[in-house]
Amino acid sequence: MKFAMIGAGAMGLRYGILLQEAGNDVTFIDTWQPHIDKIREQGGVYVSRDHEDRHLTEIKLETPETYDDDPDMYIFFTKQMQLADFLKRCAHFFKPNQYAFTCMNGMGHIEKLQQYFADDKIIAGTALIATVLNGPGDVDFMGKRGAGKMNMANLTEKPDEMTHRLFDELDKAQMHPTLTTNFKGTLMTKVIFNSVINTLCTLFEIQMGEFGNFDKAYDLGRQLIDEAYDICERAGITLVSTRDEEMAALDHNTRIDMPLHYPSMYQDMIHDRPTEVDYINGYIAELGREHHYEAHTHIFLTNLVHLSEYHRANEKKARDDAAEKTAAALKA
Ligand code: NAD
């Protein structure tokens, strides 16, 4: 198949390179100039797995303004707050027969995709696959080859021939896809999962295993899960796991599968980038409000993450001001 990856960050590179290695024609489209410059200068992307075997992989790279091809499918891996701008810049090459697929975290992206693609061309999912962009042109695939897994569903909940072709290619790339026919439930189950792990590990800047091994991890997780499940029940969303299964998945993922991993939200926080918390805990809280349920804990956590972002921005400004003063003093 012919794919164009919209967003060549950590996950865009992970999916795109594995699909390329499985024999597909893949082009990456990105907008972050230092990343684009580095990839061009190196002649590709440095790829490691679990910090080892760092090697150069050649990729085809374009910007929204230079891309001019006709892929079967676009795969979107931007951060939620970047998506609207990417879509606007890429709109000139979208065609009605093309599909849009994404496994972005959080919620808010589907409505944006619907502004450019028909409902029967939108496939979305969730990825339990961890990847870190060390810096421009340098990506680290966490976990052994084939260790991750993912879910996918059609917005129409009716898988067609293209859905099965995509499934087969993801399967060949060892992404371990599961195809469901419960669109909202599949996506929301992962949003709720992330509302515990991503948010708490980011706030305390800890690895997932440290959270999982904490003796009150169950209580912390359960409070957030209960609130979110109460809201989904009111919203008529059937989640793909029960509350107890979600708690068991949290426990397994943090203590056994990925104890040494920092969630992707943490990567944003430490790089002083805005987090996706408004699209995760904030989305759950908003859904609660629509159904007359005040999600006190999710609202509190969303505000705490913003407090942390604010604190880091102040610290960064103080560091930048001090560096500027030193540079001026040296010049004088
Ligand atoms: P990413 O931040 O690595 O890349 C997204 C975009 O941001 C790319 O265009 C990239 O070039 C750009 N970018 C990266 N660093 C930047 C910087 N310092 N300044 C400016 N631009 C920068 O994002 P990702 O981790 O690939 O995540 C994409 C989506 O997938 C998100 O919704 C995320 O929550 C989700 N997700 C991520 C992981 C993971 O392990 N990384 C796992 C599952 C889902």
Side-chain angles (χ1 to χ4, degrees), residues 6-15 29-36 76-80 82 86 102-106 109 126-133 135-136 142 190 194 198 261-265 267-268 271 273 276 280:
I6 312 276
M11 291 296 277
L13 287 170
R14 177 88 177 245
Y15 270 69
I29 298 168
D30 208 63
T31 57
W32 184 28
Q33 204 56 47
H35 192 42
I36 295 169
F76 289 87
F77 269 122
T78 69
K79 287 281 158 54
Q80 286 278 353
Q82 300 171 312
F86 264 93
T102 178
C103 282
M104 286 164 53
N105 281 337
H109 52 321
T126 60
L128 265 180
I129 295 170
T131 313
V132 176
L133 193 66
M142 311 307 292
K190 176 77 182 329
N194 287 337
N198 286 31
H261 182 62
Y262 290 99
S264 54
M265 190 189 284
Q267 314 290 342
D268 292 331
H271 290 114
R273 296 176 71 199
E276 293 180 301
I280 300 176

Short mmCIF file of all heavy atoms in Angstrom, two decimals, residues 6-15 29-36 76-80 82 86 102-106 109 126-133 135-136 142 190 194 198 261-265 267-268 271 273 276 280, ligand 1:
data_model
loop_
_atom_site.label_atom_id
_atom_site.label_comp_id
_atom_site.label_asym_id
_atom_site.label_seq_id
_atom_site.Cartn_x
_atom_site.Cartn_y
_atom_site.Cartn_z
N ILE A 6 1.42 11.68 8.32
CA ILE A 6 1.32 13.12 8.64
C ILE A 6 1.79 13.27 10.08
O ILE A 6 1.08 12.93 11.03
CB ILE A 6 -0.12 13.63 8.48
CG1 ILE A 6 -0.72 13.18 7.15
CG2 ILE A 6 -0.16 15.14 8.67
CD1 ILE A 6 -0.42 14.01 5.96
N GLY A 7 3.01 13.77 10.23
CA GLY A 7 3.65 13.85 11.55
C GLY A 7 4.70 12.76 11.62
O GLY A 7 4.38 11.57 11.67
N ALA A 8 5.97 13.18 11.55
CA ALA A 8 7.07 12.21 11.59
C ALA A 8 7.80 12.32 12.92
O ALA A 8 9.01 12.36 12.99
CB ALA A 8 8.04 12.47 10.42
N GLY A 9 7.00 12.38 14.01
CA GLY A 9 7.59 12.38 15.34
C GLY A 9 7.81 10.93 15.79
O GLY A 9 7.99 10.03 14.95
N ALA A 10 7.76 10.71 17.10
CA ALA A 10 8.05 9.39 17.64
C ALA A 10 7.17 8.31 17.00
O ALA A 10 7.66 7.33 16.43
CB ALA A 10 7.86 9.41 19.16
N MET A 11 5.85 8.49 17.06
CA MET A 11 4.95 7.42 16.60
C MET A 11 4.81 7.38 15.09
O MET A 11 4.66 6.31 14.50
CB MET A 11 3.57 7.58 17.25
CG MET A 11 3.59 7.28 18.73
SD MET A 11 4.02 5.56 19.11
CE MET A 11 2.43 4.79 18.89
N GLY A 12 4.88 8.54 14.44
CA GLY A 12 4.83 8.55 12.98
C GLY A 12 6.00 7.76 12.42
O GLY A 12 5.86 6.95 11.49
N LEU A 13 7.17 7.96 13.02
CA LEU A 13 8.36 7.22 12.56
C LEU A 13 8.22 5.73 12.88
O LEU A 13 8.56 4.88 12.06
CB LEU A 13 9.63 7.78 13.22
CG LEU A 13 10.08 9.15 12.67
CD1 LEU A 13 11.18 9.74 13.54
CD2 LEU A 13 10.57 9.02 11.22
N ARG A 14 7.70 5.42 14.06
CA ARG A 14 7.56 4.00 14.44
C ARG A 14 6.66 3.26 13.44
O ARG A 14 7.03 2.24 12.88
CB ARG A 14 6.96 3.93 15.85
CG ARG A 14 6.70 2.51 16.38
CD ARG A 14 7.91 1.99 17.06
NE ARG A 14 7.81 0.69 17.66
CZ ARG A 14 7.89 0.45 18.97
NH1 ARG A 14 7.99 1.45 19.83
NH2 ARG A 14 7.88 -0.77 19.45
N TYR A 15 5.45 3.80 13.24
CA TYR A 15 4.52 3.14 12.33
C TYR A 15 5.05 3.16 10.90
O TYR A 15 5.01 2.16 10.18
CB TYR A 15 3.14 3.83 12.38
CG TYR A 15 2.22 3.23 13.42
CD1 TYR A 15 2.48 3.38 14.77
CD2 TYR A 15 1.09 2.50 13.05
CE1 TYR A 15 1.64 2.83 15.74
CE2 TYR A 15 0.24 1.95 14.01
CZ TYR A 15 0.52 2.12 15.34
OH TYR A 15 -0.32 1.55 16.28
N ILE A 29 5.64 13.26 6.26
CA ILE A 29 5.39 14.70 6.07
C ILE A 29 5.49 15.38 7.42
O ILE A 29 4.80 14.99 8.38
CB ILE A 29 3.98 14.91 5.45
CG1 ILE A 29 3.94 14.24 4.07
CG2 ILE A 29 3.66 16.39 5.35
CD1 ILE A 29 2.58 14.12 3.46
N ASP A 30 6.39 16.34 7.53
CA ASP A 30 6.56 16.99 8.84
C ASP A 30 6.79 18.48 8.68
O ASP A 30 7.04 18.98 7.57
CB ASP A 30 7.71 16.34 9.62
CG ASP A 30 7.49 16.46 11.12
OD1 ASP A 30 6.50 15.91 11.62
OD2 ASP A 30 8.28 17.15 11.80
N THR A 31 6.71 19.19 9.83
CA THR A 31 6.81 20.66 9.80
C THR A 31 7.88 21.19 10.76
O THR A 31 8.15 22.37 10.76
CB THR A 31 5.46 21.30 10.19
OG1 THR A 31 5.10 20.81 11.49
CG2 THR A 31 4.36 20.95 9.21
N TRP A 32 8.45 20.34 11.60
CA TRP A 32 9.41 20.81 12.62
C TRP A 32 10.77 20.97 11.93
O TRP A 32 11.42 19.98 11.61
CB TRP A 32 9.46 19.81 13.78
CG TRP A 32 10.34 20.24 14.91
CD1 TRP A 32 10.62 21.52 15.28
CD2 TRP A 32 11.05 19.39 15.81
NE1 TRP A 32 11.46 21.52 16.37
CE2 TRP A 32 11.74 20.23 16.71
CE3 TRP A 32 11.16 18.00 15.94
CZ2 TRP A 32 12.54 19.72 17.74
CZ3 TRP A 32 11.96 17.49 16.97
CH2 TRP A 32 12.63 18.34 17.84
N GLN A 33 11.18 22.21 11.68
CA GLN A 33 12.34 22.48 10.82
C GLN A 33 13.65 21.83 11.32
O GLN A 33 14.36 21.22 10.52
CB GLN A 33 12.49 23.99 10.60
CG GLN A 33 13.25 24.35 9.33
CD GLN A 33 12.66 23.74 8.05
OE1 GLN A 33 11.45 23.81 7.82
NE2 GLN A 33 13.49 23.13 7.21
N PRO A 34 13.99 21.91 12.63
CA PRO A 34 15.25 21.28 13.07
C PRO A 34 15.29 19.77 12.76
O PRO A 34 16.33 19.21 12.43
CB PRO A 34 15.27 21.53 14.58
CG PRO A 34 14.40 22.72 14.79
CD PRO A 34 13.33 22.65 13.73
N HIS A 35 14.13 19.12 12.87
CA HIS A 35 13.99 17.68 12.59
C HIS A 35 14.20 17.43 11.09
O HIS A 35 14.98 16.55 10.68
CB HIS A 35 12.58 17.29 13.02
CG HIS A 35 12.28 15.84 13.10
ND1 HIS A 35 13.13 14.90 13.60
CD2 HIS A 35 11.13 15.15 12.74
CE1 HIS A 35 12.54 13.71 13.55
NE2 HIS A 35 11.35 13.83 13.03
N ILE A 36 13.54 18.24 10.27
CA ILE A 36 13.64 18.10 8.81
C ILE A 36 15.10 18.31 8.37
O ILE A 36 15.67 17.51 7.61
CB ILE A 36 12.71 19.13 8.11
CG1 ILE A 36 11.25 18.81 8.43
CG2 ILE A 36 12.94 19.17 6.60
CD1 ILE A 36 10.26 19.89 8.03
N PHE A 76 -2.15 9.74 10.65
CA PHE A 76 -1.93 10.96 11.42
C PHE A 76 -1.33 10.65 12.78
O PHE A 76 -1.93 9.94 13.57
CB PHE A 76 -3.26 11.71 11.60
CG PHE A 76 -3.76 12.32 10.33
CD1 PHE A 76 -4.55 11.59 9.45
CD2 PHE A 76 -3.42 13.62 9.99
CE1 PHE A 76 -5.00 12.16 8.27
CE2 PHE A 76 -3.87 14.19 8.82
CZ PHE A 76 -4.66 13.45 7.95
N PHE A 77 -0.14 11.20 13.03
CA PHE A 77 0.48 11.11 14.35
C PHE A 77 1.07 12.46 14.72
O PHE A 77 2.29 12.66 14.70
CB PHE A 77 1.57 10.02 14.38
CG PHE A 77 1.06 8.68 14.80
CD1 PHE A 77 1.20 7.58 13.95
CD2 PHE A 77 0.44 8.49 16.03
CE1 PHE A 77 0.73 6.33 14.33
CE2 PHE A 77 -0.03 7.23 16.40
CZ PHE A 77 0.12 6.15 15.55
N THR A 78 0.17 13.41 15.01
CA THR A 78 0.62 14.69 15.54
C THR A 78 0.17 14.74 17.00
O THR A 78 -0.57 13.86 17.44
CB THR A 78 -0.07 15.86 14.79
OG1 THR A 78 -1.46 15.87 15.13
CG2 THR A 78 0.09 15.71 13.28
N LYS A 79 0.60 15.74 17.74
CA LYS A 79 -0.01 15.97 19.04
C LYS A 79 -1.38 16.59 18.79
O LYS A 79 -1.59 17.28 17.76
CB LYS A 79 0.88 16.88 19.88
CG LYS A 79 2.15 16.17 20.37
CD LYS A 79 1.85 15.28 21.56
CE LYS A 79 2.83 14.16 21.82
NZ LYS A 79 4.22 14.46 21.94
N GLN A 80 -2.35 16.36 19.70
CA GLN A 80 -3.72 16.84 19.47
C GLN A 80 -3.76 18.32 19.09
O GLN A 80 -4.47 18.71 18.17
CB GLN A 80 -4.57 16.62 20.74
CG GLN A 80 -4.94 15.17 20.97
CD GLN A 80 -6.14 14.72 20.16
OE1 GLN A 80 -6.81 15.50 19.48
NE2 GLN A 80 -6.44 13.43 20.20
N GLN A 82 -1.63 20.10 17.58
CA GLN A 82 -0.98 20.42 16.31
C GLN A 82 -1.86 20.05 15.11
O GLN A 82 -1.59 20.48 13.98
CB GLN A 82 0.33 19.63 16.16
CG GLN A 82 1.38 19.90 17.23
CD GLN A 82 2.53 18.90 17.12
OE1 GLN A 82 2.30 17.69 17.00
NE2 GLN A 82 3.75 19.39 17.15
N PHE A 86 -1.81 21.11 10.90
CA PHE A 86 -1.34 20.13 9.91
C PHE A 86 -2.41 19.93 8.84
O PHE A 86 -2.12 19.91 7.64
CB PHE A 86 -1.03 18.79 10.58
CG PHE A 86 0.43 18.58 10.94
CD1 PHE A 86 0.90 18.91 12.19
CD2 PHE A 86 1.32 18.03 10.02
CE1 PHE A 86 2.24 18.70 12.54
CE2 PHE A 86 2.65 17.82 10.35
CZ PHE A 86 3.12 18.16 11.61
N THR A 102 -5.55 6.93 12.31
CA THR A 102 -4.75 7.51 13.39
C THR A 102 -4.85 6.67 14.65
O THR A 102 -5.87 6.00 14.87
CB THR A 102 -5.24 8.95 13.72
OG1 THR A 102 -4.46 9.44 14.81
CG2 THR A 102 -6.71 9.01 14.09
N CYS A 103 -3.79 6.68 15.44
CA CYS A 103 -3.84 6.08 16.79
C CYS A 103 -3.36 7.12 17.79
O CYS A 103 -2.62 6.80 18.72
CB CYS A 103 -2.98 4.83 16.87
SG CYS A 103 -3.70 3.38 16.14
N MET A 104 -3.75 8.38 17.58
CA MET A 104 -3.35 9.42 18.52
C MET A 104 -4.04 9.21 19.86
O MET A 104 -5.13 8.65 19.92
CB MET A 104 -3.73 10.80 17.94
CG MET A 104 -2.83 11.23 16.81
SD MET A 104 -3.48 12.60 15.81
CE MET A 104 -3.85 13.83 17.04
N ASN A 105 -3.41 9.68 20.92
CA ASN A 105 -4.02 9.63 22.25
C ASN A 105 -5.01 10.76 22.43
O ASN A 105 -4.91 11.79 21.75
CB ASN A 105 -2.95 9.80 23.34
CG ASN A 105 -2.17 8.51 23.60
OD1 ASN A 105 -2.66 7.42 23.33
ND2 ASN A 105 -0.98 8.65 24.15
N GLY A 106 -5.91 10.59 23.39
CA GLY A 106 -6.85 11.66 23.72
C GLY A 106 -8.04 11.66 22.77
O GLY A 106 -8.20 10.75 21.94
N HIS A 109 -9.57 14.70 18.07
CA HIS A 109 -9.00 14.60 16.72
C HIS A 109 -10.03 14.14 15.68
O HIS A 109 -9.96 14.51 14.52
CB HIS A 109 -7.77 13.69 16.71
CG HIS A 109 -7.96 12.34 17.32
ND1 HIS A 109 -8.71 12.11 18.45
CD2 HIS A 109 -7.47 11.11 16.97
CE1 HIS A 109 -8.67 10.82 18.75
NE2 HIS A 109 -7.94 10.19 17.87
N THR A 126 -6.07 2.81 18.91
CA THR A 126 -5.27 3.11 20.08
C THR A 126 -4.01 2.26 20.01
O THR A 126 -4.05 1.15 19.47
CB THR A 126 -6.04 2.77 21.36
OG1 THR A 126 -6.36 1.38 21.33
CG2 THR A 126 -7.32 3.58 21.47
N ALA A 127 -2.91 2.79 20.52
CA ALA A 127 -1.65 2.04 20.45
C ALA A 127 -1.04 1.88 21.83
O ALA A 127 -0.80 2.86 22.53
CB ALA A 127 -0.67 2.79 19.54
N LEU A 128 -0.84 0.63 22.21
CA LEU A 128 -0.09 0.36 23.44
C LEU A 128 1.34 0.05 23.00
O LEU A 128 1.81 -1.08 23.07
CB LEU A 128 -0.70 -0.84 24.17
CG LEU A 128 -1.70 -0.52 25.27
CD1 LEU A 128 -2.22 -1.78 25.91
CD2 LEU A 128 -1.13 0.42 26.31
N ILE A 129 1.96 1.09 22.47
CA ILE A 129 3.29 0.96 21.86
C ILE A 129 4.04 2.22 22.28
O ILE A 129 3.54 3.33 22.03
CB ILE A 129 3.18 0.89 20.32
CG1 ILE A 129 2.44 -0.39 19.89
CG2 ILE A 129 4.54 0.97 19.67
CD1 ILE A 129 2.07 -0.47 18.43
N ALA A 130 5.20 2.09 22.91
CA ALA A 130 5.89 3.28 23.43
C ALA A 130 7.10 3.64 22.57
O ALA A 130 7.89 2.77 22.21
CB ALA A 130 6.34 3.01 24.85
N THR A 131 7.20 4.91 22.22
CA THR A 131 8.29 5.38 21.37
C THR A 131 8.77 6.74 21.85
O THR A 131 7.95 7.58 22.26
CB THR A 131 7.80 5.50 19.91
OG1 THR A 131 7.10 4.31 19.57
CG2 THR A 131 8.95 5.69 18.96
N VAL A 132 10.07 6.96 21.79
CA VAL A 132 10.64 8.23 22.27
C VAL A 132 11.44 8.88 21.15
O VAL A 132 12.28 8.24 20.52
CB VAL A 132 11.56 7.98 23.49
CG1 VAL A 132 12.22 9.28 23.93
CG2 VAL A 132 10.76 7.37 24.64
N LEU A 133 11.16 10.16 20.90
CA LEU A 133 11.98 10.93 19.96
C LEU A 133 13.07 11.58 20.80
O LEU A 133 12.79 12.51 21.57
CB LEU A 133 11.10 11.98 19.26
CG LEU A 133 11.70 12.65 18.03
CD1 LEU A 133 11.90 11.66 16.88
CD2 LEU A 133 10.80 13.79 17.55
N GLY A 135 15.50 13.38 19.93
CA GLY A 135 15.80 14.73 19.44
C GLY A 135 15.63 14.69 17.94
O GLY A 135 15.24 13.66 17.38
N PRO A 136 15.92 15.80 17.25
CA PRO A 136 15.76 15.80 15.80
C PRO A 136 16.48 14.62 15.14
O PRO A 136 17.65 14.33 15.47
CB PRO A 136 16.41 17.13 15.37
CG PRO A 136 16.28 18.01 16.57
CD PRO A 136 16.39 17.10 17.76
N MET A 142 10.65 1.66 21.87
CA MET A 142 10.73 0.96 23.14
C MET A 142 10.04 -0.41 23.03
O MET A 142 8.99 -0.52 22.40
CB MET A 142 10.07 1.77 24.27
CG MET A 142 10.49 3.23 24.34
SD MET A 142 12.27 3.49 24.39
CE MET A 142 12.64 2.82 25.98
N LYS A 190 -8.97 3.72 26.03
CA LYS A 190 -7.55 4.11 26.08
C LYS A 190 -7.40 5.51 26.70
O LYS A 190 -6.44 5.78 27.43
CB LYS A 190 -6.95 4.06 24.67
CG LYS A 190 -5.51 4.54 24.57
CD LYS A 190 -4.53 3.50 25.07
CE LYS A 190 -3.06 3.87 25.07
NZ LYS A 190 -2.51 4.74 24.10
N ASN A 194 -5.01 6.31 29.82
CA ASN A 194 -4.00 7.37 29.83
C ASN A 194 -4.29 8.43 30.90
O ASN A 194 -3.36 9.07 31.39
CB ASN A 194 -3.94 8.06 28.46
CG ASN A 194 -3.28 7.18 27.41
OD1 ASN A 194 -2.51 6.29 27.73
ND2 ASN A 194 -3.58 7.41 26.16
N ASN A 198 -0.58 8.39 32.21
CA ASN A 198 0.15 9.52 31.61
C ASN A 198 0.16 10.70 32.56
O ASN A 198 1.19 11.34 32.78
CB ASN A 198 -0.48 9.94 30.28
CG ASN A 198 -0.17 8.95 29.18
OD1 ASN A 198 -0.03 7.77 29.45
ND2 ASN A 198 -0.07 9.42 27.96
N HIS A 261 9.39 2.77 31.50
CA HIS A 261 8.99 3.77 30.50
C HIS A 261 8.36 5.00 31.16
O HIS A 261 7.64 4.90 32.14
CB HIS A 261 7.99 3.13 29.53
CG HIS A 261 7.56 4.05 28.44
ND1 HIS A 261 8.45 4.57 27.53
CD2 HIS A 261 6.34 4.57 28.13
CE1 HIS A 261 7.80 5.38 26.72
NE2 HIS A 261 6.52 5.38 27.05
N TYR A 262 8.69 6.16 30.59
CA TYR A 262 8.00 7.41 30.95
C TYR A 262 6.94 7.63 29.88
O TYR A 262 7.26 7.57 28.69
CB TYR A 262 8.96 8.59 30.92
CG TYR A 262 9.99 8.62 32.01
CD1 TYR A 262 11.29 8.17 31.79
CD2 TYR A 262 9.68 9.14 33.27
CE1 TYR A 262 12.24 8.21 32.80
CE2 TYR A 262 10.64 9.19 34.28
CZ TYR A 262 11.91 8.74 34.03
OH TYR A 262 12.85 8.79 35.02
N PRO A 263 5.70 7.93 30.24
CA PRO A 263 4.66 8.11 29.20
C PRO A 263 4.95 9.30 28.29
O PRO A 263 5.74 10.18 28.64
CB PRO A 263 3.39 8.37 30.01
CG PRO A 263 3.73 8.24 31.42
CD PRO A 263 5.20 8.15 31.58
N SER A 264 4.28 9.31 27.13
CA SER A 264 4.57 10.36 26.14
C SER A 264 4.26 11.76 26.69
O SER A 264 4.91 12.73 26.31
CB SER A 264 3.85 10.09 24.82
OG SER A 264 2.48 9.92 25.02
N MET A 265 3.28 11.87 27.59
CA MET A 265 2.97 13.20 28.15
C MET A 265 4.17 13.74 28.93
O MET A 265 4.45 14.94 28.93
CB MET A 265 1.73 13.11 29.06
CG MET A 265 1.21 14.47 29.49
SD MET A 265 -0.06 14.38 30.76
CE MET A 265 -1.49 13.88 29.85
N GLN A 267 7.27 13.18 28.20
CA GLN A 267 8.26 13.66 27.22
C GLN A 267 7.96 15.12 26.87
O GLN A 267 8.86 15.93 26.71
CB GLN A 267 8.25 12.84 25.92
CG GLN A 267 8.22 11.33 26.08
CD GLN A 267 9.52 10.78 26.62
OE1 GLN A 267 10.54 11.44 26.58
NE2 GLN A 267 9.48 9.56 27.16
N ASP A 268 6.66 15.45 26.73
CA ASP A 268 6.30 16.84 26.41
C ASP A 268 6.65 17.76 27.58
O ASP A 268 7.22 18.83 27.38
CB ASP A 268 4.79 16.94 26.11
CG ASP A 268 4.43 16.24 24.82
OD1 ASP A 268 5.29 16.18 23.92
OD2 ASP A 268 3.30 15.74 24.71
N HIS A 271 10.30 18.54 27.93
CA HIS A 271 10.82 19.35 26.83
C HIS A 271 10.12 20.71 26.76
O HIS A 271 10.20 21.41 25.75
CB HIS A 271 10.68 18.60 25.49
CG HIS A 271 11.62 17.44 25.40
ND1 HIS A 271 11.19 16.14 25.36
CD2 HIS A 271 12.98 17.38 25.38
CE1 HIS A 271 12.26 15.32 25.30
NE2 HIS A 271 13.34 16.07 25.31
N ARG A 273 7.09 21.44 26.32
CA ARG A 273 6.03 21.54 25.30
C ARG A 273 4.69 21.40 26.00
O ARG A 273 4.60 20.77 27.06
CB ARG A 273 6.18 20.42 24.26
CG ARG A 273 7.46 20.49 23.47
CD ARG A 273 7.58 19.29 22.54
NE ARG A 273 6.66 19.32 21.42
CZ ARG A 273 6.32 18.26 20.70
NH1 ARG A 273 6.81 17.07 20.99
NH2 ARG A 273 5.50 18.37 19.68
N GLU A 276 -1.00 17.03 26.38
CA GLU A 276 -2.32 16.73 25.81
C GLU A 276 -3.39 16.56 26.90
O GLU A 276 -4.45 16.01 26.64
CB GLU A 276 -2.25 15.46 24.96
CG GLU A 276 -1.40 15.60 23.71
CD GLU A 276 -1.33 14.34 22.87
OE1 GLU A 276 -0.89 13.30 23.40
OE2 GLU A 276 -1.69 14.36 21.69
N ILE A 280 -7.37 14.57 27.35
CA ILE A 280 -7.45 13.29 28.07
C ILE A 280 -8.33 13.52 29.32
O ILE A 280 -9.55 13.41 29.22
CB ILE A 280 -6.02 12.77 28.38
CG1 ILE A 280 -5.27 12.57 27.05
CG2 ILE A 280 -6.07 11.47 29.18
CD1 ILE A 280 -3.81 12.16 27.17
P1 NAD B 1 5.87 13.77 18.79
O1 NAD B 1 5.85 14.98 19.66
O2 NAD B 1 7.07 12.90 18.82
O3 NAD B 1 5.65 14.21 17.26
C1 NAD B 1 4.50 14.93 16.87
C2 NAD B 1 4.94 16.12 16.01
O4 NAD B 1 5.67 17.05 16.83
C3 NAD B 1 5.88 15.74 14.86
O5 NAD B 1 5.52 16.56 13.77
C4 NAD B 1 7.26 16.12 15.39
O6 NAD B 1 8.18 16.44 14.37
C5 NAD B 1 6.93 17.34 16.23
N1 NAD B 1 7.88 17.59 17.32
C6 NAD B 1 8.52 16.67 18.10
N2 NAD B 1 9.30 17.29 19.01
C7 NAD B 1 9.15 18.62 18.81
C8 NAD B 1 9.70 19.77 19.44
N3 NAD B 1 10.55 19.68 20.47
N4 NAD B 1 9.32 20.97 18.99
C9 NAD B 1 8.46 21.09 17.94
N5 NAD B 1 7.90 20.03 17.30
C10 NAD B 1 8.23 18.82 17.74
O7 NAD B 1 4.53 12.98 19.13
P2 NAD B 1 4.28 11.39 19.23
O8 NAD B 1 4.88 10.89 20.50
O9 NAD B 1 4.59 10.77 17.95
O10 NAD B 1 2.71 11.39 19.48
C11 NAD B 1 1.75 11.51 18.42
C12 NAD B 1 0.43 11.04 18.99
O11 NAD B 1 0.53 9.66 19.37
C13 NAD B 1 0.00 11.78 20.26
O12 NAD B 1 -1.39 11.88 20.31
C14 NAD B 1 0.50 10.85 21.36
O13 NAD B 1 -0.19 11.02 22.60
C15 NAD B 1 0.19 9.50 20.75
N6 NAD B 1 0.94 8.36 21.29
C16 NAD B 1 2.28 8.47 21.56
C17 NAD B 1 2.95 7.35 22.06
C18 NAD B 1 4.43 7.39 22.35
O14 NAD B 1 4.94 6.46 22.99
N7 NAD B 1 5.19 8.39 21.87
C19 NAD B 1 2.24 6.14 22.28
C20 NAD B 1 0.90 6.08 21.95
C21 NAD B 1 0.25 7.20 21.45
#
